[in-house]
């Protein structure tokens, strides 16, 4: 049973780490291929879903917004992007480029029907041109990856067929104002962007080295050293500290006594209640956790005062493990009501499937209460 628990804990970490290492390897092996001031690559796509402006104009600014149907922040940015498209209709063309959909081994163009349906549902919230990346994923590779961008949403502004700006859409307003009034400093922006790229690459490489050191200690069964390294790296890299704190929790769960885990959670709660709540919610995602740890994790989430849907869902899971089905029912019901209210305001961000899945959990907890 303990080996099964260790396997599950390790697999969970491997999944997260592989994502992070995938990013760090990419950063380590590649130099920045596309920067501010460079000539823009060719714009290619497999399908024009909406609109007509599909070229890099000589007369207008082109705003390329990279997005996917699964990306909640991308979707949230669309209404404001539509407002900008109307505000700068004489100065700019907006093109939303669909990338990074999950296609398995299929050509990227297979997502076109799904994207088309999604855009039709969005209707007036996407009042600009929309295209789908081509089968070679050139828009992702030659634009995003070349610029050192590994995630979305991402915005690239092109003027005079040169890259003028690369960043997050939330900062686009100021950039467009500066370009319009002539105060935008292209070369200064280039220096700042490349400086940031180098800093992120170095941080990514350090992360990879740190994780390798921790895993080497585990492989050598030097678990105390592995714990010491997680503490050391968390202190040296505050921005990435949670990754190391979670790794420490996983090591404790897999190779140490129950008491050691409880002491760690207790100390974390004294130092930072928010981090302690995040660690407690992580415990809710793991299997075969001792009941004392489940109880402690539930208490930490309650005492943290965190009330968003993620914490409520984790709390309900922990409470159900403890046989506290009346409390699990209340926590899950709160989550369901929050989702229903949120869907009224933002129906595009919360699907009916999500609502239904949570309703089933509420009903299941009700059944368990009746059995008691």
């Amino acid at each position: 049973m303990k080996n099964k628990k260790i396997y599950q804990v390790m697999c969970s970490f491997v999944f997260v780490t592989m994502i992070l290492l995938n990013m760090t390897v990419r950063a380590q092996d590649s130099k920045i291929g596309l920067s501010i001031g460079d000539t823009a690559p060719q714009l290619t796509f497999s399908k024009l879903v909406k609109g007509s402006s599909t070229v890099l104009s000589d007369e207008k600014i082109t705003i390329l917004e990279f997005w996917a149907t699964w990306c909640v922040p991308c979707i949230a940015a669309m209404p404001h992007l539509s407002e900008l498209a109307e505000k700068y209709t004489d100065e700019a063309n907006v093109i939303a480029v669909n990338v990074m959909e999950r296609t398995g081994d299929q050509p990227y163009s297979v997502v076109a029907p799904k994207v088309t349906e999604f855009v039709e549902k969005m209707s007036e919230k996407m009042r600009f041109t929309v295209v789908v990346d081509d089968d070679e994923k050139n828009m992702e590779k030659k634009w995003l990856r070349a610029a050192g961008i590994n995630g979305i949403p991402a915005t690239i502004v092109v003027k005079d067929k040169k890259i003028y700006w690369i960043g997050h859409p939330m900062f686009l307003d100021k950039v467009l104002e500066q370009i319009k009034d002539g105060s935008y400093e292209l070369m200064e922006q280039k220096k700042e962007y490349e400086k940031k790229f180098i800093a992120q690459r170095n941080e990514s490489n350090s992360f990879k080295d740190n994780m390798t050191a921790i895993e080497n200690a585990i492989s050598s069964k030097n678990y105390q050293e592995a714990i010491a390294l997680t503490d050391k790296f968390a202190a040296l890299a505050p921005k990435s500290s949670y990754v190391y704190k979670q790794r420490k929790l996983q090591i404790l769960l897999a190779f140490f006594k129950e008491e050691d885990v409880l002491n760690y959670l207790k100390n974390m709660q004294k130092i930072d209640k928010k981090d302690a709540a995040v660690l407690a919610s992580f415990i809710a995602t793991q299997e075969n956790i001792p009941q004392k740890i489940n109880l402690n994790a539930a208490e930490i989430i309650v005492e943290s005062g965190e009330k968003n849907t993620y914490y409520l869902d984790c709390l309900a899971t922990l409470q159900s493990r403890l046989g506290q089905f009346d409390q699990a029912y209340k926590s899950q019901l709160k989550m369901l009501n929050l989702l229903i209210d949120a869907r009224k305001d933002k129906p595009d961000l919360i699907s009916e499937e999500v609502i239904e899945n949570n309703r089933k959990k509420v009903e299941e907890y009700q059944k368990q209460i009746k059995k008691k």
Side-chain angles (χ1 to χ4, degrees):
M1 182 63 71
K2 183 170 183 178
N3 286 337
K4 182 179 179 182
K5 182 181 77 170
I6 292 173
Y7 174 76
Q8 289 169 335
V9 170
M10 298 299 283
C11 284
S12 174
F13 177 74
V14 167
F15 175 73
V16 175
T17 304
M18 285 302 293
I19 295 173
L20 293 167
L21 290 183
N22 184 43
M23 293 170 63
T24 60
V25 170
R26 191 180 294 122
Q28 183 182 36
D29 292 346
S30 61
K31 296 180 180 179
I32 188 165
L34 185 68
S35 183
I36 294 172
D38 292 351
T39 300
Q42 184 179 355
L43 200 163
T44 59
F45 55 91
S46 62
K47 181 176 180 179
L48 171 63
V49 176
K50 186 174 183 177
S52 58
S53 303
T54 59
V55 295
L56 301 177
S57 172
D58 290 319
E59 292 77 30
K60 290 186 176 185
I61 297 167
T62 301
I63 302 167
L64 297 176
E65 183 65 27
F66 294 85
W67 71 288
T69 58
W70 51 262
C71 173
V72 174
C74 299
I75 299 164
M78 294 305 179
H80 183 59
L81 197 62
S82 294
E83 292 173 1
L84 290 178
E86 292 181 351
K87 180 179 179 179
Y88 292 97
T89 186
D90 294 329
E91 295 91 2
N93 292 326
V94 175
I95 304 175
V97 183
N98 176 266
V99 294
M100 298 186 184
E101 299 287 352
R102 299 174 178 90
T103 62
D105 296 330
Q106 299 296 310
Y108 194 80
S109 56
V110 299
V111 306
K114 179 176 76 170
V115 175
T116 300
E117 181 183 359
F118 181 89
V119 173
E120 288 173 352
K121 288 182 179 179
M122 289 289 285
S123 185
E124 291 301 301
K125 293 179 181 179
M126 295 180 75
R127 301 189 297 277
F128 39 74
T129 298
V130 182
V131 299
V132 176
D133 201 355
D134 62 19
D135 284 340
E136 288 71 37
K137 300 183 180 180
N138 281 314
M139 294 305 295
E140 178 183 341
K141 294 175 182 176
K142 295 184 179 180
W143 288 80
L144 289 183
R145 302 300 186 190
I149 299 172
N150 296 311
I152 49 177
T155 309
I156 298 180
V157 176
V158 179
K159 185 175 184 290
D160 300 325
K161 296 187 178 178
K162 289 186 180 295
I163 304 299
Y164 250 62
W165 183 75
I166 304 171
H168 192 282
M170 67 185 295
F171 303 112
L172 184 57
D173 296 65
K174 183 178 179 180
V175 172
L176 293 177
E177 289 172 8
Q178 290 178 341
I179 293 175
K180 185 176 180 179
D181 66 23
S183 62
Y184 186 82
E185 295 289 341
L186 181 66
M187 296 314 294
E188 285 300 314
Q189 289 291 329
K190 178 181 176 68
K191 289 179 183 177
E192 186 64 26
Y193 182 76
E194 292 179 357
K195 179 181 177 182
K196 187 183 296 185
F197 174 86
I198 292 170
Q200 289 175 342
R201 181 188 61 194
N202 291 341
E203 183 178 350
S204 294
N205 291 340
S206 295
F207 173 81
K208 182 186 176 186
D209 292 342
N210 293 347
M211 281 302 180
T212 299
I214 293 170
E215 298 317 305
N216 285 343
I218 293 173
S219 297
S220 302
K221 297 184 179 182
N222 195 338
Y223 306 127
Q224 290 290 355
E225 181 185 351
I227 290 292
L229 287 173
T230 61
D231 289 336
K232 174 185 175 181
F233 298 144
L236 291 174
K239 290 182 180 179
S240 308
S241 64
Y242 175 70
V243 178
Y244 299 114
K245 291 172 184 176
Q246 180 178 302
R247 190 64 183 117
K248 179 176 180 177
L249 176 59
Q250 290 170 312
I251 296 168
L252 290 170
L253 285 168
F255 306 112
F256 286 76
K257 296 178 181 179
E258 183 178 306
E259 183 181 353
D260 295 318
V261 178
L262 292 171
N263 286 336
Y264 177 52
L265 292 173
K266 184 178 179 179
N267 290 333
M268 281 302 306
Q269 195 172 18
K270 289 180 180 179
I271 298 169
D272 191 322
K273 287 187 176 182
K274 187 172 182 179
D275 273 0
V278 177
L279 290 172
S281 65
F282 171 76
I283 287 172
T285 68
Q286 305 301 294
E287 296 182 7
N288 301 311
I289 299 296
Q291 288 292 62
K292 283 187 179 180
I293 296 175
N294 283 324
L295 178 60
N296 188 219
E299 290 172 346
I300 288 172
I301 294 176
V302 171
E303 291 176 21
S304 72
E306 296 286 354
K307 296 178 181 179
N308 66 37
T309 54
Y310 175 71
Y311 286 105
L312 287 171
D313 190 42
C314 290
L315 179 58
T317 298
L318 292 166
Q319 290 166 333
S320 68
R321 288 178 185 173
L322 295 163
Q324 300 172 353
F325 295 110
D326 52 341
Q327 296 300 317
Y329 166 76
K330 291 176 182 178
S331 298
Q332 201 72 49
L333 185 60
K334 283 182 183 179
M335 178 181 179
L336 177 61
N337 289 332
L338 285 174
L339 289 171
I340 291 172
D341 289 342
R343 182 167 167 75
K344 290 176 183 177
D345 297 329
K346 298 179 180 179
D348 304 308
L349 300 185
I350 300 171
S351 69
E352 186 57 42
E353 182 181 2
V354 170
I355 300 289
E356 186 58 31
N357 287 340
N358 279 276
R359 186 174 283 113
K360 288 179 180 178
K361 287 185 179 181
V362 170
E363 292 171 354
E364 179 58 32
Y365 293 145
Q366 279 182 311
K367 290 179 182 178
Q368 294 297 330
I369 292 171
K370 290 178 180 179
K371 287 181 181 180
K372 291 178 70 176

